[in-house]
Amino acid sequence: MTKHSLDTKKMVILSSLIAIAMILSYVEHLVPAFVAVPGVKMGLSNIATVFALYTLGWPFAICVSVVRVFLSGLLFGNLFSLIYSFSGAALALSVMILLKRIDKFSTVGVSVAGGVMHNVGQIIAACIVMNSAAISLYVIPLIISGTLAGIVIGLLSGILIERIKKYL
């Protein structure tokens, strides 16, 4: 296989992961939250990000995440949701990349750290935007939801990685 065809293959996989992330974002946007705490979501689109991180590498995971956050913000959100999402995604990806590089954590551990850090990043952004530390009171329920979502996303991502990686 030539280098050019390998690059084409990775680009097709990357494009597919972005499309899957967008579909999952849309589905999640349609489903109402099951709790009364603002900002609590499953984060299903992060399956595509974790998958990219483990199969294609961190630059591709960043690309999936950035494109998904930007497009989701344009389609389903507003300027503030973009700010919060980018803040959360940047912190989450930084921690996930670091933990994967350490190579001591499973996809579940990396995903849980990402889920929690995504929520922490959003709280930090909200405190800055609203010029108030009072919003930080949401951090406890968001850490709990980030942990639970991270477990689910990590398990699903791990299963997909194991089943699909041999075909990539």
Side-chain angles (χ1 to χ4, degrees), residues 17-74:
L17 288 173
I18 291 169
I20 289 166
M22 288 304 301
I23 291 166
L24 292 172
S25 287
Y26 179 66
V27 168
E28 193 165 2
H29 176 74
L30 293 176
V31 177
F34 296 110
V35 294
V37 179
V40 172
K41 296 190 307 183
M42 272 299 293
L44 294 174
S45 60
N46 291 315
I47 293 170
T49 303
V50 173
F51 186 88
L53 179 62
Y54 276 85
T55 58
L56 301 174
W58 65 266
F60 291 93
I62 290 172
C63 185
V64 168
S65 185
V66 167
V67 171
R68 191 234 353 129
V69 166
F70 180 71
L71 291 176
S72 293
L74 286 178

Side-chain angles (χ1 to χ4, degrees), residues 94-114:
S94 299
V95 169
M96 288 169 50
I97 291 166
L98 177 67
L99 293 181
K100 183 184 178 293
R101 187 169 282 185
I102 292 171
D103 202 28
K104 299 282 184 199
F105 299 90
S106 67
T107 55
V108 174
V110 170
S111 179
V112 166

Side-chain angles (χ1 to χ4, degrees), residues 149-164:
I151 290 169
V152 171
I153 300 307
L155 288 171
L156 292 173
S157 298
I159 291 167
L160 287 172
I161 291 163
E162 285 303 312
R163 293 189 179 181
I164 297 175

Side-chain angles (χ1 to χ4, degrees), residues 68-134:
R68 191 234 353 129
V69 166
F70 180 71
L71 291 176
S72 293
L74 286 178
L75 294 171
F76 316 124
N78 55 43
L79 177 62
F80 291 111
S81 65
L82 265 173
I83 292 169
Y84 300 144
S85 293
F86 271 123
S87 301
L91 185 56
L93 271 171
S94 299
V95 169
M96 288 169 50
I97 291 166
L98 177 67
L99 293 181
K100 183 184 178 293
R101 187 169 282 185
I102 292 171
D103 202 28
K104 299 282 184 199
F105 299 90
S106 67
T107 55
V108 174
V110 170
S111 179
V112 166
V116 170
M117 289 297 110
H118 190 277
N119 290 336
V120 169
Q122 287 183 321
I123 290 290
I124 292 168
C127 287
I128 293 168
V129 167
M130 296 179 182
N131 198 24
S132 171

